[in-house]
Amino acid sequence: MKPPKPKSAGRTSLEKAFDPFTAALKRGAKPAGPTPAPAAPGKPGLEISPLAVPFPAMGTVGGVEIATARAGFYKHQRDDLVVFRFARGTSCAGVFTRHKIGSAPVDWCRRHLDADDGGKDVRALVVNAGCANAFTGKPGADAARRTASEVAKRFGCRQRDVMLASTGVIGVTLDDRKIATRLGEVETRLDADTPAADQWTAAARGIMTTDTFPKGSFAECRIDGHTVRIAGIAKGSGMIAPDMATMLAFIVTDADIHPNVLRAMLGLHVRTTFNSVTVDGDTSTNDTCLLFATGASGAPRIGRVGDRRLKEFSRALDAVMLDLAHQLVRDGEGATKFVKVTVDGAASPASARKLAKSIADSPLVKTALAGEDANWGRVVMAVGKTEEPVDRDRLAIRFGPHVAAVDGAPAPSYDEAKMSAYMKNAEIDITVEVGAGRASATVWTCDLTKRYIEINGDYRS
């Protein structure tokens, strides 16, 4: 006699949401899923994230031209090659993955930017999507070098003045011939009088992989009375975790700033932006963030890190980088919740960051968020497992305005109905006081849904 089937009553909304998925897996088929959302502009079959934001109006940044083309790294029809051409004298700084198996483009950029006079006259950036050129040994390094050489010949510069970036499948050597054969077409497009907004939009789309919407940000500020502009694009939706977040980001300003100053500013702001987001806890081989300063604004050259004239620029740069970082989380593979995790009262900034990241990376916390389950006990678990200093009897947890725990115990005012209603929001704030000191940190993350499994199970198809 077969045992009776368990009743669905009392099961979480997350368990119910997974029913079609698990049933389909048992049948060996893919689940039908909900009614499809509008198709994303990247990989076919992806639905645009419900947390997507519109691509912004991008102003003209002097000293840079951008063009895209289809090199054929993808089977479907789409641009997958992006080339930036910069004015002479453009400064550049970069921050790269700490992954132990860095890609050939990362090695190329890091080597040339770390040289004694690195970043002083960068003339081009070449980005391809569809092939990461990572874990490809000498053939991959040779392909990167040949790409830089071909571009340098056309732009009249040194190989070292060409920056490279790639994204896509690991373990496939870049077929640089696909890039070389398109450079004539790209050069024609660079010379065309294309509106800046269209250039940036095309570039943001051209670097996408499993992204479901193009990501961009723009700001203006003043340096010594001169208006300067900052524009940036980024890609990334999975394999997102510090350091750096799994992503490509390219930011261009028409300010005139020495490479050493750019390097210091980029390192400062990356900590609280790209290094403070996480989607799945996995770090990529190809993470690259490059910041270029063309000097075309007419503002005076800034050659010292502590120059007070950089104050407004620094704020604007931080805003652009944080905006792009947030968009990466909003496009987290399968994400339906944008989540801000703040830890207060930690023993040190490093401890606060580790605690916040433990909460943000926890699969149990993230699946509870996906299921809109007010299970704040999972936050307690994520805090305690870190072995960071925590005063259990002072621990307090808040979801938005709703207090779940205080002084190491459930809050007397806790209201399960109100908390459950709050969990239905698309944006959720989690704040934890750990009572061990005065340091704070914030990390942004998203929920973990069945779509993450689907997207990554089909990544190479």
Side-chain angles (χ1 to χ4, degrees):
M1 181 176 177
K2 293 182 178 180
K5 293 182 179 180
K7 296 181 180 179
S8 60
R11 294 162 66 245
T12 68
S13 57
L14 182 62
E15 291 172 324
K16 295 175 185 177
F18 266 73
D19 282 348
F21 183 62
T22 53
L25 287 178
K26 290 176 182 177
R27 294 194 303 270
K30 294 180 181 179
T35 302
K43 184 179 178 181
L46 293 182
E47 301 165 0
I48 295 177
S49 169
L51 305 172
V53 295
F55 196 77
M58 304 286 273
T60 300
V61 179
V64 59
E65 300 153 319
I66 312 169
T68 65
R70 181 177 182 240
F73 293 107
Y74 286 101
K75 296 177 183 177
H76 52 283
Q77 294 285 336
R78 57 156 287 183
D79 283 358
D80 52 12
L81 173 63
V82 181
V83 177
F84 290 67
R85 183 169 62 186
F86 300 106
R88 291 189 180 279
T90 293
S91 299
C92 178
V95 179
F96 305 95
T97 183
R98 295 183 186 177
H99 199 284
K100 300 302 182 185
I101 307 173
S103 68
V106 165
D107 289 346
W108 175 272
C109 292
R110 182 181 277 139
R111 180 167 70 253
H112 293 302
L113 290 179
D114 286 349
D116 290 340
D117 59 345
K120 285 189 177 179
D121 188 16
V122 171
R123 300 297 310 284
L125 165 65
V126 182
V127 189
N128 75 275
C131 175
N133 199 17
F135 201 61
T136 51
K138 187 176 184 300
D142 289 342
R145 177 186 50 76
R146 287 193 299 266
T147 298
S149 177
E150 286 296 320
V151 174
K153 289 176 185 176
R154 287 186 173 272
F155 292 178
C157 63
R158 300 171 298 179
Q159 292 183 28
R160 62 178 299 168
D161 298 329
V162 178
M163 296 293 104
L164 306 173
S166 298
T167 181
V169 176
I170 294 170
V172 178
T173 302
L174 181 74
D175 184 352
D176 55 284
R177 293 170 298 179
K178 292 183 176 181
I179 295 176
T181 57
R182 291 295 180 185
L183 288 180
E185 174 187 341
V186 166
E187 197 167 13
T188 298
R189 293 182 178 182
L190 286 170
D191 293 334
D193 191 18
T194 306
D198 294 343
Q199 292 181 28
W200 284 104
T201 303
R205 289 176 178 269
I207 63 176
M208 292 168 61
T209 52
T210 58
D211 303 66
T212 70
F213 65 91
K215 302 164 184 66
S217 189
F218 181 81
E220 290 186 346
C221 61
R222 305 280 285 180
I223 293 180
D224 202 24
H226 294 263
T227 299
V228 299
R229 297 168 179 84
I230 306 170
I233 57 173
K235 66 79 53 183
S237 57
M239 213 188 291
I240 298 283
D243 293 305
M244 296 204 330
T246 305
M247 42 141 275
L248 300 180
F250 310 114
I251 304 164
V252 185
T253 178
D254 50 16
D256 191 353
I257 303 176
H258 191 278
N260 291 344
V261 181
L262 283 185
R263 191 175 301 117
M265 297 188 74
L266 187 61
L268 172 67
H269 294 304
V270 79
R271 284 184 231 150
T272 53
T273 58
F274 295 126
N275 276 352
S276 292
V277 296
T278 178
V279 167
D280 50 19
D282 282 335
T283 300
S284 167
T285 55
N286 289 57
D287 302 337
T288 298
C289 178
L290 294 171
L291 173 60
F292 303 88
T294 68
S297 65
R301 184 168 179 81
I302 305 295
R304 187 171 58 86
V305 173
D307 196 314
R308 293 184 178 182
R309 292 174 294 179
L310 280 175
K311 186 175 182 180
E312 188 178 339
F313 177 87
S314 181
R315 284 197 299 264
L317 176 62
D318 183 73
V320 167
M321 292 172 65
L322 186 60
D323 184 15
L324 292 173
H326 283 181
Q327 291 182 54
L328 298 180
V329 174
R330 288 182 175 278
D331 204 14
E333 290 169 338
T336 65
K337 307 285 185 184
F338 178 74
V339 186
K340 178 182 179 182
V341 179
T342 302
V343 169
D344 293 324
S348 67
S351 179
R353 177 181 168 83
K354 188 172 181 179
L355 287 160
K357 192 169 181 296
S358 178
I359 297 167
D361 272 340
S362 167
L364 287 177
V365 172
K366 291 162 74 70
T367 48
L369 291 164
E372 299 178 345
D373 181 8
N375 190 349
W376 53 269
R378 291 183 175 179
V379 175
V380 175
M381 174 279 301
V383 168
K385 74 176 184 178
T386 64
E387 299 184 359
E388 291 297 309
V390 171
D391 187 337
R392 182 191 62 186
D393 296 330
R394 295 179 63 189
L395 189 69
I397 300 171
R398 190 173 72 247
F399 280 60
H402 307 291
V403 179
V406 64
D407 293 333
S413 61
Y414 178 71
D415 188 321
E416 178 77 10
K418 289 183 179 179
M419 183 72 85
S420 295
Y422 178 76
M423 297 299 291
K424 297 184 182 301
N425 292 332
E427 299 190 12
I428 294 174
D429 286 359
I430 301 174
T431 305
V432 180
E433 166 65 51
V434 298
R438 308 175 85 177
S440 299
T442 299
V443 170
W444 291 269
T445 190
C446 59
D447 55 346
L448 180 61
T449 71
K450 67 175 184 178
R451 283 293 293 145
Y452 181 87
I453 301 170
E454 294 172 10
I455 291 168
N456 283 285
D458 292 341
Y459 183 76
R460 296 203 306 168
S461 61

XYZ file of all heavy atoms in Angstrom, residues 44-91:
360
model
N 19.357 34.597 -26.572
C 17.968 34.255 -26.876
C 17.352 33.404 -25.776
O 18.010 32.554 -25.181
C 18.086 33.458 -28.189
C 19.362 33.905 -28.796
C 20.280 34.180 -27.647
N 16.068 33.621 -25.511
C 15.357 32.837 -24.521
C 15.350 33.437 -23.130
O 14.558 33.021 -22.279
N 16.206 34.405 -22.866
C 16.217 35.037 -21.554
C 15.117 36.086 -21.472
O 14.816 36.777 -22.445
C 17.577 35.692 -21.284
C 18.776 34.763 -21.124
C 20.029 35.577 -20.815
C 18.537 33.752 -20.019
N 14.519 36.191 -20.297
C 13.495 37.191 -20.061
C 14.116 38.385 -19.349
O 14.998 38.227 -18.510
C 12.372 36.600 -19.200
C 11.710 35.378 -19.831
C 10.874 34.606 -18.827
O 10.818 35.027 -17.644
O 10.289 33.585 -19.221
N 13.668 39.564 -19.672
C 14.206 40.764 -19.036
C 13.902 40.734 -17.544
O 12.787 40.432 -17.127
C 13.617 42.022 -19.683
C 14.066 42.125 -21.137
C 14.054 43.276 -18.924
C 13.484 43.288 -21.891
N 14.893 41.011 -16.735
C 14.737 40.995 -15.281
C 13.609 41.910 -14.843
O 13.476 43.036 -15.340
C 16.041 41.451 -14.611
O 15.848 41.693 -13.236
N 12.778 41.463 -13.881
C 11.726 42.341 -13.357
C 12.282 43.534 -12.598
O 11.549 44.479 -12.308
C 10.924 41.414 -12.439
C 11.893 40.343 -12.036
C 12.757 40.139 -13.253
N 13.578 43.486 -12.281
C 14.224 44.582 -11.558
C 14.984 45.514 -12.500
O 15.690 46.419 -12.048
C 15.196 44.015 -10.524
C 14.616 43.019 -9.511
C 15.731 42.398 -8.675
C 13.601 43.699 -8.606
N 14.839 45.307 -13.805
C 15.589 46.085 -14.795
C 15.262 47.568 -14.696
O 14.153 47.966 -14.336
C 15.271 45.581 -16.201
N 16.253 48.383 -15.032
C 16.059 49.838 -15.090
C 16.360 50.289 -16.512
O 17.155 49.677 -17.215
C 16.974 50.572 -14.084
C 16.608 50.215 -12.657
C 18.441 50.256 -14.349
N 15.723 51.365 -16.966
C 15.953 51.836 -18.332
C 17.392 52.314 -18.529
O 18.026 52.817 -17.602
C 14.966 53.008 -18.486
C 13.989 52.852 -17.365
C 14.723 52.180 -16.253
N 17.885 52.153 -19.742
C 19.214 52.668 -20.058
C 19.141 54.196 -20.022
O 18.231 54.796 -20.596
C 19.661 52.188 -21.439
C 21.132 52.354 -21.679
C 22.050 51.479 -21.133
C 21.606 53.401 -22.457
C 23.415 51.622 -21.350
C 22.961 53.558 -22.692
C 23.868 52.664 -22.129
N 20.092 54.847 -19.372
C 19.994 56.299 -19.175
C 20.360 57.102 -20.421
O 20.955 56.573 -21.365
C 21.009 56.557 -18.064
C 22.066 55.506 -18.301
C 21.307 54.286 -18.751
N 20.010 58.358 -20.393
C 20.464 59.280 -21.434
C 21.951 59.524 -21.211
O 22.373 59.947 -20.138
C 19.687 60.589 -21.346
N 22.759 59.232 -22.211
C 24.212 59.354 -22.095
C 24.680 60.580 -22.883
O 24.459 60.682 -24.096
C 24.899 58.105 -22.626
C 24.437 56.813 -21.963
S 25.051 56.592 -20.282
C 26.633 55.814 -20.599
N 25.310 61.505 -22.195
C 25.824 62.701 -22.849
C 27.129 62.427 -23.573
O 27.685 61.329 -23.524
N 27.618 63.431 -24.245
C 28.857 63.298 -25.015
C 30.076 63.475 -24.116
O 30.202 64.480 -23.421
C 28.912 64.345 -26.133
O 27.789 64.147 -27.009
C 30.193 64.226 -26.930
N 30.941 62.498 -24.120
C 32.228 62.572 -23.422
C 33.299 62.810 -24.484
O 33.499 61.975 -25.376
C 32.522 61.280 -22.643
C 33.881 61.370 -21.955
C 31.422 61.017 -21.615
N 33.964 63.945 -24.417
C 34.964 64.279 -25.430
C 36.147 63.330 -25.428
O 36.556 62.822 -24.381
N 36.701 63.073 -26.613
C 37.915 62.289 -26.704
C 37.723 60.796 -26.817
O 38.700 60.040 -26.722
N 36.486 60.331 -27.034
C 36.252 58.900 -27.187
C 35.231 58.665 -28.291
O 34.258 59.404 -28.423
C 35.770 58.243 -25.869
C 34.483 58.881 -25.360
C 35.583 56.740 -26.038
N 35.496 57.641 -29.096
C 34.563 57.181 -30.123
C 34.365 55.684 -29.924
O 35.302 54.966 -29.553
C 35.119 57.453 -31.519
C 35.373 58.933 -31.793
C 36.472 59.139 -32.815
O 37.488 58.410 -32.756
O 36.303 60.019 -33.663
N 33.138 55.202 -30.179
C 32.807 53.806 -29.904
C 32.085 53.223 -31.112
O 31.237 53.873 -31.727
C 31.898 53.667 -28.664
C 32.440 54.486 -27.486
C 31.749 52.208 -28.268
C 31.475 54.601 -26.321
N 32.411 51.982 -31.439
C 31.710 51.278 -32.512
C 31.600 49.797 -32.164
O 32.415 49.255 -31.411
C 32.433 51.454 -33.843
N 30.590 49.146 -32.731
C 30.368 47.727 -32.493
C 30.245 46.992 -33.826
O 30.004 47.593 -34.874
C 29.088 47.479 -31.677
O 27.944 47.897 -32.451
C 29.114 48.264 -30.376
N 30.408 45.665 -33.773
C 30.252 44.829 -34.962
C 29.954 43.406 -34.522
O 30.133 43.047 -33.352
C 31.511 44.867 -35.821
N 29.524 42.597 -35.468
C 29.298 41.179 -35.199
C 30.505 40.388 -35.685
O 30.729 40.249 -36.888
C 28.029 40.674 -35.884
C 27.792 39.193 -35.573
C 26.510 38.648 -36.153
N 26.391 37.246 -35.751
C 26.317 36.222 -36.591
N 26.330 36.440 -37.894
N 26.227 34.984 -36.138
N 31.277 39.867 -34.736
C 32.451 39.072 -35.090
C 32.110 37.596 -35.232
O 32.878 36.833 -35.811
C 33.543 39.256 -34.037
N 30.972 37.180 -34.675
C 30.544 35.793 -34.827
C 30.924 34.872 -33.695
O 30.991 33.656 -33.874
N 31.158 35.415 -32.505
C 31.434 34.556 -31.352
C 30.159 33.874 -30.852
O 30.223 32.899 -30.120
C 32.090 35.356 -30.235
C 33.473 35.844 -30.581
C 33.706 37.180 -30.860
C 34.528 34.957 -30.662
C 34.970 37.632 -31.196
C 35.803 35.392 -31.001
C 36.028 36.735 -31.272
N 29.023 34.410 -31.243
C 27.733 33.789 -30.941
C 27.113 33.260 -32.221
O 27.302 33.827 -33.301
C 26.773 34.807 -30.298
C 27.097 35.137 -28.871
C 27.761 36.325 -28.548
C 26.750 34.278 -27.831
C 28.062 36.638 -27.232
C 27.052 34.582 -26.520
C 27.711 35.764 -26.227
O 28.008 36.057 -24.930
N 26.330 32.201 -32.092
C 25.653 31.638 -33.255
C 24.522 32.541 -33.730
O 24.247 32.622 -34.924
C 25.100 30.247 -32.911
C 26.173 29.214 -32.577
C 25.541 27.889 -32.169
C 26.605 26.876 -31.776
N 26.009 25.588 -31.311
N 23.844 33.183 -32.790
C 22.715 34.025 -33.163
C 23.185 35.417 -33.601
O 24.307 35.831 -33.312
C 21.713 34.130 -32.011
C 22.320 34.548 -30.709
N 23.052 33.698 -29.907
C 22.297 35.739 -30.055
C 23.449 34.335 -28.827
N 23.014 35.574 -28.890
N 22.321 36.121 -34.266
C 22.650 37.428 -34.826
C 22.692 38.487 -33.727
O 21.665 38.828 -33.137
C 21.594 37.828 -35.874
C 21.572 36.948 -37.110
C 22.737 37.244 -38.040
O 23.294 38.332 -38.021
N 23.104 36.265 -38.861
N 23.886 38.988 -33.467
C 24.040 40.067 -32.488
C 25.462 40.608 -32.570
O 26.394 39.896 -32.953
C 23.769 39.589 -31.058
C 24.639 38.424 -30.603
C 24.761 38.365 -29.090
N 25.611 39.424 -28.574
C 25.923 39.560 -27.285
N 25.444 38.718 -26.396
N 26.705 40.546 -26.878
N 25.637 41.872 -32.210
C 26.983 42.437 -32.120
C 27.685 41.858 -30.892
O 27.089 41.798 -29.804
C 26.920 43.961 -32.022
C 26.634 44.613 -33.366
O 26.515 43.881 -34.369
O 26.507 45.854 -33.410
N 28.919 41.450 -31.065
C 29.676 40.874 -29.950
C 31.109 41.403 -29.900
O 31.958 40.836 -29.227
C 29.680 39.343 -30.039
C 30.124 38.826 -31.406
O 30.646 39.637 -32.203
O 29.931 37.623 -31.686
N 31.351 42.487 -30.628
C 32.665 43.128 -30.630
C 32.476 44.626 -30.430
O 31.664 45.255 -31.127
C 33.372 42.872 -31.958
C 34.701 43.602 -32.205
C 35.754 43.163 -31.194
C 35.187 43.375 -33.634
N 33.180 45.188 -29.460
C 33.079 46.616 -29.142
C 34.486 47.203 -29.133
O 35.394 46.640 -28.514
C 32.410 46.850 -27.770
C 32.299 48.337 -27.477
C 31.045 46.187 -27.713
N 34.658 48.325 -29.818
C 35.962 48.989 -29.870
C 35.798 50.450 -29.463
O 34.933 51.158 -29.991
C 36.578 48.906 -31.282
C 37.907 49.672 -31.320
C 36.797 47.460 -31.686
N 36.619 50.877 -28.506
C 36.706 52.284 -28.101
C 37.996 52.850 -28.704
O 39.051 52.220 -28.600
C 36.807 52.414 -26.578
C 35.556 52.066 -25.820
C 35.067 50.762 -25.788
C 34.887 53.043 -25.092
C 33.940 50.436 -25.066
C 33.763 52.725 -24.360
C 33.280 51.428 -24.347
N 37.929 54.047 -29.260
C 39.136 54.749 -29.726
C 39.254 56.046 -28.937
O 38.307 56.835 -28.876
C 39.045 55.039 -31.228
C 40.304 55.715 -31.780
C 40.286 55.753 -33.296
N 39.173 56.535 -33.835
C 38.875 56.618 -35.134
N 39.605 55.951 -36.022
N 37.848 57.345 -35.541
N 40.431 56.256 -28.342
C 40.634 57.399 -27.448
C 41.592 58.416 -28.056
O 42.467 58.072 -28.863
C 41.197 56.933 -26.100
C 40.310 55.961 -25.380
C 40.639 54.616 -25.318
C 39.136 56.388 -24.775
C 39.826 53.708 -24.671
C 38.309 55.481 -24.116
C 38.652 54.142 -24.063
N 41.434 59.649 -27.612
C 42.325 60.731 -28.048
C 43.736 60.491 -27.504
O 43.936 59.800 -26.497
C 41.799 62.070 -27.540
N 44.720 61.063 -28.177
C 46.103 60.955 -27.712
C 46.224 61.519 -26.298
O 45.597 62.513 -25.962
C 47.048 61.709 -28.642
C 47.184 61.068 -30.018
C 48.284 61.717 -30.826
N 48.414 61.088 -32.141
C 49.065 59.960 -32.371
N 49.681 59.346 -31.369
N 49.134 59.447 -33.593
N 47.065 60.870 -25.506
C 47.293 61.332 -24.145
C 46.279 60.851 -23.128
O 46.320 61.271 -21.963
N 45.370 59.955 -23.519
C 44.364 59.448 -22.582
C 45.018 58.618 -21.481
O 45.840 57.730 -21.748
C 43.315 58.603 -23.323
O 42.557 59.444 -24.194
C 42.371 57.902 -22.356
N 44.661 58.919 -20.241
C 45.142 58.154 -19.088
C 44.230 56.968 -18.827
O 43.043 56.999 -19.166
C 45.182 59.037 -17.837
O 46.050 60.131 -18.006
